[in-house]
């Protein structure tokens, strides 16, 4: 048994092979020689020391990326050849699924068996999706009113800076890098300081696949130094950031103060999950729990006779449906069943296949979640279950449910990024719409109902980038994902993600003596 009382895992953790910066096709020490520790959230112990990139290292990576874009083969390569290399990269990921899954499990506390079975294979398939789009990038012929022939070209935007979060180390890496590569761009990526291991491994595989030097650079470091340098660099043409709304503001400010580079931002959320009286109660309970104690890029479908629930994690996902609104006719029974389900939830070592929820990513996030739970108690919400640390080592927290929540409470307004549900009751559809939109965020929403009229009304009325009807976390490569309001702008996934790395150029020539316009 381990110190938390869970069966000790027999899984052999692989040796961490890559701990240096990846710049211009090579693993190198930081120019300062500085390093930082990456921590195992299962134990709080050090996994490895990672080279710490700072402004000088970002400058070096940008220089390599600039050279690769302005003079290298990648943007000039036939698109079908770019696609071939990307396909090879995806195949290499498939060949190293177990090792990558273990890296994300020890670095982020994610469930190993779900990473191996679903999330890491999904990263390879995301690369394949955008590889398939690489040779389908084209503009259109226009019809001017005067005597001109006009058309548009879609050209790569240039050098891109990516800054990704720690909750989905693999999925976020490929969701940024894949469409960017397909578009013909070059890039510098900063992984979250909490989870740099898989990003460096992906860089190694990209090199083996044949992606030219300088096209993909990976520079671990901290937001205030490496991240800030990316946002303010005069030689970066675009920034794509996923993270908190607060940091998103800083990204926009730095971009504006430098070269007015465009930015795309996928930011925080405090998403409503709305359950109507006519819902299938058992399935609604399952969805409500999974909509918050979840950290996995996969699908949860619900229908009259089919429910697929693939994993539950630690609530560290910006799309968590943490504001749960239940219509009054079923509220009492729903609350009872949800609490029963949460109490049976298995929290523990992410290498244990019986575990449904691993640890929070680090001590800071762990303490932040516990502080919000204390806020909820002080503000008068009723703690139905959970609210405590699990075990005495590592960063494990019980699934936590509050009732009697008021919409102005912190636990109903702030993004907690942890396994905390705020339960609220509503009477009418008008009340549900008003409550759903009572948030500064607008990322996603979930609705459970058997009424097509209700589903249509809710999906048209909620201000969010995605509305899931009778399902939750229904992510697909071809479904655009991104928010509105203070959840940001720009899309990851779908062809919209490809287009944000493309510049539209109009070309116009005069027409002489044409028999028609």
């Amino acid at each position: 048994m381990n110190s938390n009382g869970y069966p000790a895992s027999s899984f052999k953790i692989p040796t961490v092979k890559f701990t240096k910066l990846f710049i211009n096709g090579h693993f190198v020490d930081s120019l300062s020689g500085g390093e930082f520790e990456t921590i195992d959230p299962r134990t709080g112990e050090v996994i490895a020391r990672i080279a710490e990139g700072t402004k000088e290292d970002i400058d070096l990576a940008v220089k390599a990326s600039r050279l690769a874009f302005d003079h290298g083969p990648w943007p000039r390569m036939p698109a079908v050849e770019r696609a071939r290399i990307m396909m090879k990269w995806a195949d290499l990921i498939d060949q190293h699924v177990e090792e990558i899954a273990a890296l994300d499990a020890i670095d982020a506390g994610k469930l190993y068996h779900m990473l191996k079975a679903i999330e890491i294979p999904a990263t390879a398939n995301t690369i394949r999706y955008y590889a398939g789009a690489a040779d389908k990038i084209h503009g259109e012929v226009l019809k001017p009113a005067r005597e001109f022939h006009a058309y548009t070209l879609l050209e790569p935007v240039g050098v891109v800076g990516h800054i990704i979060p720690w909750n989905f180390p693999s999925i976020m890496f490929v969701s940024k890098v894949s469409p960017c590569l397909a578009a013909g761009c070059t890039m510098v990526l900063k992984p979250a300081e909490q989870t740099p291991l898989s990003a460096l491994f992906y860089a190694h595989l990209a090199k083996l696949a044949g992606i030219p030097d300088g096209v993909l650079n990976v520079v671990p470091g901290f937001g205030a130094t490496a991240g800030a340098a990316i946002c303010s660099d005069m030689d970066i043409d675009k920034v794509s950031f996923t993270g908190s709304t607060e940091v998103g503001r800083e990204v926009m400010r730095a971009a504006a103060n430098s070269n007015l580079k465009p930015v795309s931002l996928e930011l925080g959320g405090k998403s409503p999950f709305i359950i109507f009286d006519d819902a299938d109660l058992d399935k609604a309970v399952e969805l409500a729990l999974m909509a918050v104690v979840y950290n996995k890029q996969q699908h949860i479908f619900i229908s009259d006779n089919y429910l697929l629930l693939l994993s539950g994690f630690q609530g560290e996902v910006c799309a968590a449906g943490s504001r749960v609104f239940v219509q009054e006719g079923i509220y009492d029974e729903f609350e009872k069943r949800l609490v029963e389900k949460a109490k049976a939830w298995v929290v523990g070592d992410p290498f244990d296949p019986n575990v449904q929820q691993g640890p929070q990513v680090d001590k800071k996030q762990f303490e932040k979640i516990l502080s919000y739970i204390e806020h909820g108690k002080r503000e008068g919400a009723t703690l139905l279950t959970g609210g405590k640390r699990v075990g005495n080592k590592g960063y494990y927290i019980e699934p936590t449910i509050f009732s009697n929540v008021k919409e102005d409470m912190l636990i109903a307004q702030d993004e907690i990024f942890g396994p905390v549900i705020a339960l609220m009751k509503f009477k009418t559809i008008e009340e549900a719409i008003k409550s759903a939109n009572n948030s500064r965020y607008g990322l996603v929403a979930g609705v459970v109902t058997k009424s097509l009229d209700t589903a249509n009304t809710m999906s048209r009325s909620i201000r969010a980038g995605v509305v899931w009807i009778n399902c939750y976390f229904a992510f697909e490569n071809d479904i655009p994902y991104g928010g509105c309001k203070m959840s940001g702008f720009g899309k990851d996934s779908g062809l919209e993600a490809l287009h944000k790395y493309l510049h539209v150029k109009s070309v116009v020539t005069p027409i002489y003596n044409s028999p028609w316009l």
Side-chain angles (χ1 to χ4, degrees), residues 3 10 73 76 115 137 139 184 193 207 222 305 333 378 393 417 498:
S3 60
S10 61
R76 296 155 191 84
L115 287 162
I137 298 170
E193 59 268 24
K207 169 88 170 181
F222 292 88
N305 56 11
E333 183 62 23
R378 287 196 299 270
K393 190 174 185 181
F417 229 62
L498 177 67

Side-chain angles (χ1 to χ4, degrees), residues 406-475:
K406 307 299 182 185
E407 291 188 42
D408 60 350
M409 291 180 177
L410 280 178
I411 59 171
Q413 287 295 320
D414 286 7
E415 182 181 39
I416 298 174
F417 229 62
V420 182
I421 295 174
L423 270 181
M424 289 167 274
K425 188 187 300 184
F426 72 92
K427 293 182 180 180
T428 66
I429 189 171
E430 293 78 15
E431 185 182 335
I433 293 167
K434 182 179 178 181
S435 295
N437 289 330
N438 183 21
S439 173
R440 61 187 178 273
Y441 298 110
L443 188 53
V444 307
V447 177
V448 183
T449 179
K450 293 178 181 176
S451 167
L452 181 60
D453 290 341
T454 299
N456 284 336
T457 298
M458 294 300 294
S459 61
R460 296 297 181 99
S461 302
I462 297 173
R463 293 193 64 199
V466 181
V467 179
W468 288 308
I469 305 294
N470 294 328
C471 60
Y472 211 83
F473 295 121
F475 295 105

Side-chain angles (χ1 to χ4, degrees), residues 104-416:
D104 277 353
I106 61 172
D107 222 12
K110 298 171 73 69
L111 302 190
Y112 171 76
H113 56 287
M114 301 312 303
L115 287 162
K116 177 183 173 183
I118 297 171
E119 188 164 325
I120 307 308
T123 67
N125 287 335
T126 296
I127 295 170
R128 294 185 180 102
Y129 175 85
Y130 287 105
D135 61 354
K136 300 169 184 66
I137 298 170
H138 52 78
E140 59 182 349
V141 176
L142 309 174
K143 188 71 169 62
R146 294 187 292 156
E147 293 181 337
F148 293 106
H149 172 61
Y151 60 93
T152 59
L153 298 172
L154 298 182
E155 300 179 342
V157 72
V159 177
V160 177
H162 299 295
I163 303 173
I164 65 173
W166 42 258
N167 56 333
F168 293 98
S170 289
I171 290 293
M172 292 309 310
F173 184 95
V174 297
S175 71
K176 303 292 188 186
V177 169
S178 302
C180 198
L181 287 174
C185 296
T186 62
M187 67 211 71
V188 177
L189 180 142
K190 189 197 86 67
E193 59 268 24
Q194 296 90 341
T195 55
L197 297 182
S198 60
L200 294 170
F201 198 95
Y202 286 126
H204 161 68
L205 296 182
K207 169 88 170 181
L208 294 182
I211 293 177
D213 293 350
V215 172
L216 171 62
N217 303 274
V218 178
V219 183
F222 292 88
T225 49
I230 287 174
C231 298
S232 60
D233 196 291
M234 296 292 290
D235 236 2
I236 288 182
D237 300 300
K238 180 181 175 65
V239 170
S240 179
F241 169 79
T242 295
S244 71
T245 299
E246 292 72 24
V247 176
R249 284 197 182 97
E250 297 300 320
V251 171
M252 286 192 71
R253 187 175 292 114
N257 289 338
S258 56
N259 58 348
L260 277 176
K261 61 176 70 67
V263 301
S264 58
L265 303 174
E266 198 269 276
L267 306 176
K270 190 68 178 178
S271 300
F273 187 71
I274 305 158
I275 302 164
F276 286 87
D277 281 344
D278 62 351
D280 181 306
L281 200 51
D282 286 333
K283 294 175 182 178
V285 168
E286 293 280 4
L287 279 178
L289 188 60
M290 294 299 291
V292 69
V293 285
Y294 171 96
N295 180 358
K296 190 72 201 56
Q297 181 93 345
Q298 60 203 43
H299 313 74
I300 300 175
F301 296 114
I302 185 172
S303 65
D304 287 340
N305 56 11
Y306 179 59
L307 178 65
L308 178 59
L309 297 172
L310 291 174
S311 72
F313 289 71
Q314 54 270 55
E316 294 171 342
V317 55
C318 52
S322 54
R323 292 187 297 143
V324 179
F325 299 95
V326 185
Q327 201 162 15
E328 60 182 0
I330 61 169
Y331 179 89
D332 290 341
E333 183 62 23
F334 177 89
E335 180 186 284
K336 175 185 173 184
R337 297 190 193 187
L338 184 65
V339 170
E340 290 174 353
K341 183 71 67 173
K343 287 181 176 179
W345 209 246
V346 182
V347 181
D349 191 319
F351 286 96
D352 182 343
N354 297 312
V355 162
Q356 295 167 290
Q357 179 183 320
Q360 311 308 134
V361 70
D362 63 11
K363 183 179 181 181
K364 180 180 178 181
Q365 185 63 21
F366 172 78
E367 292 177 344
K368 174 187 173 184
I369 295 165
L370 291 176
S371 73
Y372 270 110
I373 292 171
E374 291 306 310
H375 268 297
K377 294 177 185 177
R378 287 196 299 270
E379 289 181 315
T382 301
L383 180 63
L384 297 175
T385 187
K388 298 189 295 295
R389 176 179 191 161
V390 177
N392 54 22
K393 190 174 185 181
Y395 308 126
Y396 300 87
I397 295 177
E398 296 173 328
T400 301
I401 302 173
F402 282 101
S403 66
N404 297 318
V405 177
K406 307 299 182 185
E407 291 188 42
D408 60 350
M409 291 180 177
L410 280 178
I411 59 171
Q413 287 295 320
D414 286 7
E415 182 181 39
I416 298 174

